[in-house]
């Protein structure tokens, strides 16, 4: 499971990256630490939620949220 954010200029950072493979296949939960981020650029920030079906697979996007940052 991984959550990554991409800023308006295409720079991406991993916010959360955890191995959550379990025998339970229909759901999972996780706790994350408090995250502070400075939205210093005006524009759209994309938050992507990604998962692997198998440990050896590549990450696949399963959800995305767009946050628009505006000037003050």
């Amino acid at each position: 499971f991984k959550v990554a954010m991409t800023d308006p200029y295409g720079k991406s950072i991993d916010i959360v990256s955890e191995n959550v493979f379990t025998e339970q296949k229909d759901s999972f939960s996780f706790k994350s630490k408090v995250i502070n981020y400075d939205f210093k650029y005006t524009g759209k920030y994309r938050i992507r939620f990604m998962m692997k079906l198998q440990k050896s697979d590549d990450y696949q996007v399963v959800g995305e949220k767009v946050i628009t940052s505006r000037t003050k």
Side-chain angles (χ1 to χ4, degrees), residues 8-67:
Y9 294 99
K11 182 180 176 189
S12 185
I13 61 165
D14 289 348
I15 296 172
V16 175
S17 184
E18 289 190 24
N19 184 357
V20 292
F21 285 97
T22 66
E23 295 300 316
Q24 187 175 353
K25 300 293 183 187
D26 60 346
S27 64
F28 76 95
S29 63
F30 76 99
K31 292 181 182 181
S32 115
K33 61 183 179 185
V34 175
I35 300 163
N36 293 315
Y37 187 82
D38 180 17
F39 292 89
K40 57 185 169 185
Y41 305 118
T42 299
K44 295 184 183 206
Y45 289 77
R46 298 188 184 280
I47 312 295
R48 290 188 174 95
F49 300 85
M50 296 171 270
M51 298 182 88
K52 293 181 178 184
L53 185 58
Q54 302 288 329
K55 289 182 182 182
S56 60
D57 292 346
D58 291 332
Y59 281 102
Q60 300 293 318
V61 176
V62 296
E64 181 176 285
K65 178 71 177 169
V66 175
I67 298 172

